[in-house]
Amino acid sequence: MTLKTIALNNLRRRKARMAFLVIGLLVGIATVVTLVSLTEALTMETEHKLDQFGANILITPRSDDLAISYGGITVGDVAMQYEPIREADLPLIRTIPERRNIAAVAPKVLGAVRVGEQRVVLMGVDREVEFALKRWWVIDGRPVAADDELVAGSEVAAALDLRMGQQLEINGRTFTLVGLLQPTGAQDDRMLIGSLGMAQQLLGKQDNISLVEVAALCADCPVEEIVEQIAQVLPYTRVIAMQQVVKSRMHALDQFRLLSLSVAGVVVFIGALVVFVTMMGSVNERTREIGIFRALGFRRGHVVGLILLEAFIVSLVAGILGYLSGIGATRALLPFLATEHPHFEWSALLMGGSILLAVAVGALASLYPALHASRMDPTEALRAL
């Protein structure tokens, strides 16, 4: 009779204890797999959203004495001397070596216009890009869909007492107010927003751009390199990386990942305690059996090997079932957590790591009970007979 046979027979005789051990470790491993899988999937979801929405690079005209209001440009009654960005040059941004990491290019033209007796700022934007880029905008009504439509910021709407559907006359042209932008706490609240081509004609800035916002952010995007490459193709502009935006976004992702790993670590530790307590109880219950083995000539190494072999079998089963349970939980939860870009990949590394983790935890938690069993005096068994 080999140690393997003895271990298997013992597990068969104690099915309830084996099931308890498997469940204890299974819950821990399943939790780890679920959290790791969800963390990776949600990180990809977050990166996807950040890639698509939210600018972190700003391109403005180069000027030494330019006052700052919106993206580095003051409009209205303030005179400015600078070379505007040429709209024809914007396609050059898509030719840089890191062009694959550029998610959106959002040009804008700014200028002062008169609405009745009030002077306000008109911002012309690329309709297809801007309203997708500014995901945090909440608009009562709808975004601009035509050249004769406008969206008003909250402060402009309050100052001019604007209402949905109202007709506005600007420089002899009539526009319909199709949306009211809820307060954002930014310069957007003080602007009328319309289409880019219309604003260029109205302001007399045909083919000119006041500033460009670029969204370029992913897990390992070299933002500084992108800035340098854009500066090379647009040498007459000033290209700025909004480092605080980048750092805060990546810090949030790192914090989320750290929290998940911390929770997983606590659950695995609890699983290890379950294995330790159960194996210690099993050793104490098998005092006579272990003593007989020692009396029959089993060495201490044999006893240690027997206990660890039982733990290995249980841990292996728990690791496999835990991985499958974790993957099942991930697939069930992911559609509710990652609504826009649910993405799940089978990972051989995660499968192997979870099984190895289960075996390592089971072995370490069983080591002391195994050593304790090996130190039993054979005479204990004879007293029990």
Side-chain angles (χ1 to χ4, degrees):
M1 182 176 289
T2 63
L3 290 178
K4 179 181 177 181
T5 304
I6 296 174
L8 290 174
N9 289 337
N10 181 61
L11 292 175
R12 291 193 191 98
R13 290 197 305 269
R14 296 174 171 85
K15 293 183 178 64
R17 187 179 297 277
M18 178 184 176
F20 183 71
L21 279 172
V22 169
I23 293 173
L25 264 181
L26 183 152
V27 171
I29 299 303
T31 302
V32 172
V33 172
T34 302
L35 288 175
V36 171
S37 300
L38 285 178
T39 298
E40 293 303 317
L42 293 178
T43 298
M44 294 179 66
E45 166 85 355
T46 303
E47 291 169 358
H48 173 74
K49 290 180 178 178
L50 294 178
D51 286 345
Q52 297 297 326
F53 311 111
N56 58 300
I57 296 176
L58 189 66
I59 306 173
T60 61
R62 184 180 296 278
S63 176
D64 295 331
D65 57 351
L66 185 63
I68 296 177
S69 176
Y70 188 93
I73 291 180
T74 298
V75 295
D77 294 328
V78 179
M80 299 176 293
Q81 299 295 327
Y82 65 91
E83 181 182 357
I85 302 170
R86 296 183 290 272
E87 185 176 4
D89 291 341
L90 295 185
L92 295 175
I93 299 175
R94 296 289 188 179
T95 66
I96 66 173
E98 292 292 341
R99 57 186 175 275
R100 289 179 299 177
N101 290 324
I102 294 179
V105 177
K108 298 172 180 60
V109 64
L110 302 170
V113 296
R114 187 174 293 277
V115 180
E117 298 300 322
Q118 296 280 350
R119 285 177 62 84
V120 298
V121 176
L122 174 65
M123 179 169 69
V125 300
D126 186 325
R127 300 193 303 263
E128 301 298 327
V129 177
E130 190 72 21
F131 291 96
L133 187 69
K134 302 295 177 64
R135 283 295 297 272
W136 58 90
W137 279 1
V138 179
I139 299 175
D140 295 329
R142 61 175 176 82
V144 171
D147 287 345
D148 61 348
E149 296 178 346
L150 293 173
V151 168
S154 58
E155 293 185 20
V156 171
L160 301 180
D161 192 23
L162 300 179
R163 298 177 302 278
M164 290 284 297
Q166 184 174 342
Q167 302 291 313
L168 301 178
E169 186 173 332
I170 303 175
N171 293 359
R173 294 184 58 174
T174 302
F175 297 89
T176 302
L177 190 65
V178 297
L180 296 175
L181 183 63
Q182 293 189 10
T184 64
Q187 299 95 328
D188 307 318
D189 297 337
R190 300 186 288 274
M191 296 185 180
L192 289 175
I193 304 169
S195 64
L196 181 64
M198 173 275 298
Q200 288 173 325
Q201 294 177 7
L202 210 60
L203 299 172
K205 298 181 179 181
Q206 287 84 351
D207 302 322
N208 289 337
I209 299 296
S210 300
L211 64 95
V212 182
E213 289 181 309
V214 178
L217 177 66
C218 57
D220 54 355
C221 287
V223 177
E224 290 295 342
E225 292 184 17
I226 296 175
V227 168
E228 293 178 3
Q229 293 170 11
I230 294 177
Q232 290 176 4
V233 297
L234 300 176
Y236 62 93
T237 65
R238 184 184 180 199
V239 187
I240 307 168
M242 296 184 235
Q243 292 293 339
Q244 191 60 38
V245 175
V246 177
K247 291 178 181 178
S248 62
R249 290 171 178 175
M250 299 314 297
H251 178 70
L253 294 178
D254 291 338
Q255 290 291 91
F256 179 64
R257 188 176 291 107
L258 179 61
L259 175 63
S260 298
L261 292 177
S262 300
V263 173
V266 171
V267 175
V268 170
F269 178 73
I270 294 174
L273 287 180
V274 170
V275 174
F276 173 80
V277 172
T278 306
M279 294 302 292
M280 199 67 192
S282 175
V283 167
N284 291 332
E285 289 180 2
R286 296 163 62 188
T287 299
R288 185 176 67 174
E289 177 186 335
I290 294 172
I292 292 175
F293 287 152
R294 294 280 288 123
L296 292 175
F298 275 53
R299 298 188 181 92
R300 288 185 175 182
H302 292 149
V303 176
V304 171
L306 177 63
I307 302 299
L308 292 181
L309 182 58
E310 293 178 7
F312 171 79
I313 296 172
V314 170
S315 301
L316 184 63
V317 173
I320 295 172
L321 295 179
Y323 173 76
L324 296 176
S325 301
I327 293 301
T330 300
R331 294 179 68 90
L333 294 173
L334 191 57
F336 299 99
L337 300 177
T339 55
E340 294 188 10
H341 188 67
H343 185 75
F344 174 78
E345 291 183 354
W346 291 91
S347 173
L349 180 62
L350 179 60
M351 179 177 65
S354 60
I355 295 175
L356 286 176
L357 178 63
V359 172
V361 169
L364 291 175
S366 303
L367 185 59
Y368 178 78
L371 293 175
H372 176 73
S374 69
R375 297 190 185 100
M376 286 186 179
D377 190 343
T379 59
E380 292 291 332
L382 299 176
R383 293 195 187 102
L385 292 175

